[in-house]
Amino acid sequence: MDSQKKNDRAAWLQGPSAACSMPGDVESPWRLVLLGAPGVGKGTQALLLSQRLGACHLSTGDVFRAAGSRSDCDQTPAMTAALGHMRRGELVPDTTVWEMVRERTGCLHCGGGFILDGFPRTLSQAEALKQHMENEKLSLHAVVNYELPLDEIVSRLSGRRTCKQCKAVFHVTGQPPKTEGVCDHCKVRMEAYQRSTMPLIEFYSGLGLLMPVAATGSPDEICGRTMGKLGLSG
């Protein structure tokens, strides 16, 4: 099951005008969505699953990072709008994020399948993806939700004096966090994530697609657990 093919993901990272050097082609391509809070190891699992399933890792975060290094004349309208919001410190609206994904619809037809990482993040994005895939006569196999208790996630993200994730700085006497070793900013962020993700979990659970996986242990152990839930050998 482990695929040796490597896809440069050019069509995903650069936009619809680019072509991947090796689109990939497997007999029964897997189409997955990964959910999980920051710090849960979702990106690592996406890479491991991509290697084992031969599916293309489609990360919206990678798209934003790649776009930030390109000149404005090389951007699609959706990407230009998204970067404008990001530079102003604003959240990118659902409609803009969806348009960015929609212009890469060819990637959803990848012959190797796909693993969506970072999308959808909201219920409206999930509904748009569902409708689009139905129109394209494509179907998701599963939505993997990597789970960890909130306190453990925050502990992973937090530094004792400088938060490794959000870079908020605390002084142990002058400006201590409310809980020793736990960044207040990250805790608020995780609580907001849980609120925004619950509708997604209910949505995909109602469709019979949700697959909870405990994100404990080593990356290989978690990946093996995921493969087992998919009915495959690790």
Side-chain angles (χ1 to χ4, degrees):
M1 185 62 66
D2 194 352
S3 173
Q4 298 302 312
K5 294 182 179 181
K6 291 186 178 180
N7 191 329
D8 62 6
R9 302 182 297 161
W12 178 254
L13 296 177
Q14 299 174 34
S17 62
C20 296
S21 61
M22 185 183 292
D25 192 14
V26 298
E27 185 176 349
S28 300
W30 284 87
R31 303 185 190 98
L32 305 175
V33 166
L34 303 189
L35 300 179
V40 83
K42 180 164 50 69
T44 298
Q45 292 308 308
L47 291 173
L48 291 174
L49 289 170
S50 177
Q51 293 167 4
R52 285 161 172 73
L53 301 175
C56 194
H57 178 196
L58 305 183
S59 164
T60 49
D62 287 347
V63 171
F64 287 129
R65 284 185 285 273
S69 63
R70 300 174 68 198
S71 64
D72 290 344
C73 62
D74 292 331
Q75 306 290 358
T76 64
M79 203 67 251
T80 298
L83 289 174
H85 286 287
M86 293 169 66
R87 287 165 183 157
R88 293 190 295 272
E90 303 167 350
L91 291 176
V92 181
D94 283 352
T95 52
T96 303
V97 176
W98 167 241
E99 184 60 27
M100 183 194 76
V101 173
R102 193 196 62 78
E103 31 178 57
R104 290 161 171 77
T105 191
C107 294
L108 302 182
H109 288 272
C110 180
F114 63 77
I115 299 170
L116 270 173
D117 169 17
F119 182 91
R121 287 185 182 273
T122 66
L123 181 57
S124 65
Q125 290 176 6
E127 291 172 337
L129 177 64
K130 177 179 180 292
Q131 185 60 57
H132 183 75
M133 291 188 66
E134 288 176 351
N135 294 341
E136 296 290 313
K137 295 180 170 54
L138 297 170
S139 59
L140 284 176
H141 291 96
V143 176
V144 183
N145 184 34
Y146 289 107
E147 298 181 335
L148 270 181
L150 176 60
D151 288 348
E152 187 169 345
I153 294 173
V154 173
S155 178
R156 285 188 182 188
L157 294 178
S158 300
R160 191 170 181 182
R161 290 175 177 81
T162 301
C163 178
K164 296 177 183 177
Q165 183 70 13
C166 72
K167 306 305 180 187
V169 178
F170 295 94
H171 190 278
V172 291
T173 57
Q175 190 186 0
K178 293 177 182 177
T179 303
E180 174 65 22
V182 176
C183 172
D184 298 335
H185 293 253
C186 280
K187 188 147 190 175
V188 170
R189 182 184 177 195
M190 291 305 99
E191 289 168 350
Y193 171 82
Q194 287 191 325
R195 288 194 300 272
S196 65
T197 304
M198 189 55 64
L200 277 179
I201 291 174
E202 293 174 350
F203 177 75
Y204 283 121
S205 179
L207 294 175
L209 292 171
L210 192 71
M211 193 178 80
V213 174
T216 54
S218 71
D220 283 336
E221 289 171 340
I222 298 168
C223 186
R225 194 175 298 137
T226 306
M227 295 285 284
K229 285 285 191 78
L230 293 172
L232 303 169
S233 61

